Amino acid sequence: MVFRTIAAGDLLAEGKSAGADLKARYEDADRSMHYMARAYGRNDRVDGLVAFGTNDWQRIRQGGGSLLQPNDGDSNRGLAKVGLQASDRLRLELSHQFFNESNFRTNNPQADGAFGAGQAPAQVNHTKQDETVLKAMAANDRGEQALALTLYRNALKRNADKTASLSATRSETETTGASVQHTVELGGLGTGIHRLTYGADYFEDRQSAFSSGAPNPVIPNGVQKVLGLFVQDEIALGEAWRLVPSLRWDRYETSVESGKRPQATDSRPSPKLTAAWQALPELSIFASYGEAYRAPSLSETYQDLSGTNKLFNFAPNLELKPETDRTTEIGATYAARQLFTAKDSLRLRATAFQSHVSDLISNTVIGTYTRTFPFAGTGVVQQYQNVGNAKRDGGELEGSYRNGPFDLKMAYSRLRVIDRSNGNNLFAPPDKLAANIRYAFSGSSLWFDWGSVAVAAQDYDSTVLRRRPGYVVHSAFLSWMPHGQRLRIDFGVDNLFDKRYSVYQSGNAVANVAEAGRNLKLALSAQF
């Protein structure tokens, strides 16, 4: 598990020992104001950073002009981080960050009039998250990180206030974990240079939830413990070849505190082998085969809620098995300069993969029912099930071209997930093409960005209620930083043509809620 938050050294200009910045932003779609402030500094041994942000919002204007409401809330967040260079080779870091939110919104954040005449029931929801991380990092003779030890704790609490038609609820998940990783370089073994990395990670999730003071069956009280051991050897075979064998072993244990459900325990090794070839100075090619393993979560196994007066129904699956994945992947990267002019550069990357998955964990709609007060319409019964033999096929294409003030980036992704026993299409995001063009005006600190995202129709999911039409949205932004000043102004528009669309998602299958419409943004930031 990787934890990396921004540090003072990432923000300080060369030769500076202290700094600060402020930013304010307004967004028209939800009438929100955002404020952020940071201060940071360092000396030869110690560096530190403090950051704080706050924002508030109102109803969301959707594409086409309708309103998603109520949606009145505010949030604040903060980060404090201190680093100590204990010696030339040893660095210690301690950080704490928090997030608090209160929002008066519909019982389901993706719900509007789709759940009955008028609005779905609304209540005040509170979210509080805290994360503390302690890291120790030791470097080798070349200054590269050789040993890393991380201890962390994350606490997530959610509460909803009682209303005339909705119960008060509260839930909490506490995650405590640690990881250690050591890298050492070995030579003279007859097979080239070896860069050996090995280590372990462990975490424990404790989950509890209550509704009207009683245990919440959708989020069962329980514990999940996961241990992983890993080793990887990066072998340099001459100048052009790299061979990377690795092995990971995972063990998990899941139990609910009531003791009314059976404990689940399992373990499995997962090998992987990657070969990389630097065919040309500009071209690298790789191929890999790897296995992965995922244990079902507490909620996936034990969620249990029924009744026509519920927004959704959830069925437990005590027979849910771990998911194992066997993936073959190939890819290539091409990077070159001075192709057409003395100042241009081109980078292309392509990957393709195929996975054979045993016992794929899939959120499945297993039935429907007619809702009663306080809801209306049709509800769905959802259950996590194992698909015994599934296949994933996909790939990504990325490209960027820069020539002086002109910068073009494009990316395409595709994924299909199929139940091989019957040919059914399972949950898989639709094809997506994204492009961004930036032009920096000559002789000024002014630049223009245009972004477009095209998403194909998801009209092949075997769960028909999840299907969504395709859409294309555009954005345009203009940024200005006066020469010699530490002031920046940004103005732009998301969803420029006010497209009405809804995103494809795995849960809440009957919710077809429109996303935010045309959204004007204005931001002002300053550095000191």
Side-chain angles (χ1 to χ4, degrees):
M1 187 171 292
V2 177
F3 293 89
R4 174 72 168 92
T5 54
I6 198 167
D10 300 317
L11 301 172
L12 285 168
E14 187 175 353
K16 297 289 186 178
S17 60
D21 54 58
L22 301 172
K23 185 174 183 178
R25 184 176 81 250
Y26 173 76
E27 297 190 16
D28 175 64
D30 59 359
R31 299 181 182 178
S32 60
M33 289 297 305
H34 306 252
Y35 303 96
M36 186 189 74
R38 298 186 297 193
Y40 34 89
R42 66 181 176 189
N43 58 27
D44 293 339
R45 298 288 298 274
V46 181
D47 59 86
L49 176 145
V50 177
F52 180 79
T54 182
N55 66 300
D56 61 80
W57 58 86
Q58 300 177 40
R59 85 292 178 274
I60 300 174
R61 182 188 176 279
Q62 300 166 300
S66 60
L67 298 178
L68 181 59
Q69 57 184 350
N71 188 60
D72 305 307
D74 59 78
S75 71
N76 55 74
R77 63 194 59 82
L79 167 67
K81 185 173 185 178
V82 61
L84 171 65
Q85 195 67 39
S87 68
D88 292 342
R89 294 190 179 185
L90 179 62
R91 175 175 170 81
L92 304 175
E93 288 184 351
L94 176 64
S95 66
H96 178 78
Q97 56 184 329
F98 69 87
F99 172 79
N100 296 317
E101 177 186 282
S102 293
N103 192 15
F104 178 57
R105 59 167 173 80
T106 50
N107 176 254
N108 184 292
Q110 282 289 297
D112 59 6
F115 295 103
Q119 299 292 330
Q123 62 189 150
V124 178
N125 290 263
H126 309 276
T127 301
K128 177 179 174 59
Q129 186 168 14
D130 293 275
E131 181 181 78
T132 303
V133 180
L134 174 63
K135 295 185 70 174
M137 296 160 285
N140 59 22
D141 293 337
R142 297 189 299 274
E144 302 167 340
Q145 181 174 295
L147 178 65
L149 172 65
T150 303
L151 306 174
Y152 61 92
R153 180 184 179 276
N154 187 305
L156 174 62
K157 299 179 181 179
R158 290 191 173 98
N159 302 299
D161 295 346
K162 179 179 174 57
T163 71
S165 58
L166 296 172
S167 303
T169 63
R170 62 183 176 90
S171 66
E172 181 174 355
T173 301
E174 290 190 358
T175 302
T176 304
S179 67
V180 60
Q181 177 176 302
H182 184 222
T183 300
V184 61
E185 195 167 285
L186 305 171
L189 301 181
T191 54
I193 304 291
H194 293 252
R195 185 177 176 84
L196 187 68
T197 300
Y198 57 94
D201 51 59
Y202 171 84
F203 70 87
E204 179 178 296
D205 281 339
R206 290 191 172 273
Q207 176 176 286
S208 62
F210 296 88
S211 179
S212 297
N216 188 331
V218 181
I219 308 175
N221 298 345
V223 180
Q224 184 170 65
K225 303 174 182 179
V226 179
L227 170 66
L229 306 176
F230 58 89
V231 60
Q232 172 183 292
D233 187 10
E234 182 179 343
I235 308 170
L237 303 174
E239 295 295 325
W241 285 90
R242 293 289 187 276
L243 192 65
V244 187
S246 61
L247 179 66
R248 180 180 177 89
W249 178 81
D250 289 282
R251 182 185 185 277
Y252 81 93
E253 179 182 300
T254 302
S255 62
V256 288
E257 293 179 352
S258 65
K260 297 179 180 179
R261 308 287 188 182
Q263 177 176 294
T265 302
D266 203 354
S267 63
R268 188 181 188 278
S270 301
K272 184 176 182 179
L273 178 64
T274 300
W277 176 38
Q278 193 69 40
L280 298 169
E282 303 86 3
L283 176 65
S284 60
I285 301 171
F286 80 90
S288 71
Y289 169 82
E291 298 182 7
Y293 173 82
R294 185 177 84 82
S297 69
L298 284 164
S299 292
E300 288 172 338
T301 304
Y302 301 113
Q303 63 177 10
D304 187 2
L305 182 67
S306 60
T308 58
N309 63 336
K310 309 298 183 183
L311 186 60
F312 295 100
N313 281 188
F314 302 95
N317 185 355
L318 306 184
E319 304 300 322
L320 199 61
K321 303 174 184 177
E323 175 182 304
T324 56
D325 182 300
R326 299 167 179 84
T327 299
T328 303
E329 184 178 14
I330 58 173
T333 300
Y334 178 83
R337 295 179 178 273
Q338 300 180 348
L339 292 170
F340 308 109
T341 72
K343 295 183 178 181
D344 72 348
S345 63
L346 174 69
R347 186 180 187 277
L348 302 173
R349 183 175 184 271
T351 60
F353 68 88
Q354 184 176 91
S355 299
H356 295 277
V357 190
S358 300
D359 297 318
L360 173 71
I361 299 172
S362 177
N363 187 19
T364 306
V365 175
I366 61 173
T368 62
Y369 61 96
T370 301
R371 295 192 182 100
T372 57
F373 181 83
F375 302 100
T378 300
V380 296
V381 183
Q382 301 178 60
Q383 183 185 55
Y384 285 94
Q385 297 184 346
N386 287 119
V387 177
N389 186 5
K391 183 178 72 169
R392 292 190 184 105
D393 291 293
E396 294 181 346
L397 295 173
E398 299 176 6
S400 63
Y401 177 73
R402 176 175 293 181
N403 188 6
F406 176 81
D407 192 2
L408 169 65
K409 295 180 180 178
M410 299 187 71
Y412 170 77
S413 60
R414 176 184 174 87
L415 176 66
R416 295 291 186 273
V417 184
I418 297 174
D419 183 343
R420 300 184 72 184
S421 66
N422 53 26
N424 286 347
N425 281 280
L426 305 177
F427 174 77
D431 297 5
K432 179 180 177 180
L433 175 65
N436 187 84
I437 299 173
R438 168 173 287 194
Y439 184 82
F441 292 90
S442 178
S444 69
S445 300
L446 182 69
W447 60 94
F448 174 76
D449 282 275
W450 177 277
S452 296
V453 176
V455 177
Q458 219 303 358
D459 54 9
Y460 45 85
D461 193 319
S462 295
T463 300
V464 176
L465 288 170
R466 281 202 296 244
R467 296 181 181 180
R468 298 288 184 268
Y471 57 90
V472 180
V473 290
H474 307 276
S475 62
F477 283 85
L478 195 64
S479 301
W480 179 47
M481 183 179 291
H483 182 69
Q485 304 296 317
R486 294 184 175 272
L487 181 70
R488 173 171 167 169
I489 301 173
D490 296 275
F491 174 74
V493 187
D494 281 331
N495 196 355
L496 182 62
F497 300 109
D498 203 29
K499 176 70 175 180
R500 187 173 182 85
Y501 69 99
S502 58
V503 298
Y504 174 72
Q505 54 186 347
S506 62
N508 299 354
V510 298
N512 195 6
V513 179
E515 295 297 307
R518 183 182 297 114
N519 186 17
L520 304 178
K521 295 182 177 181
L522 177 63
L524 177 66
S525 54
Q527 283 187 311
F528 304 94

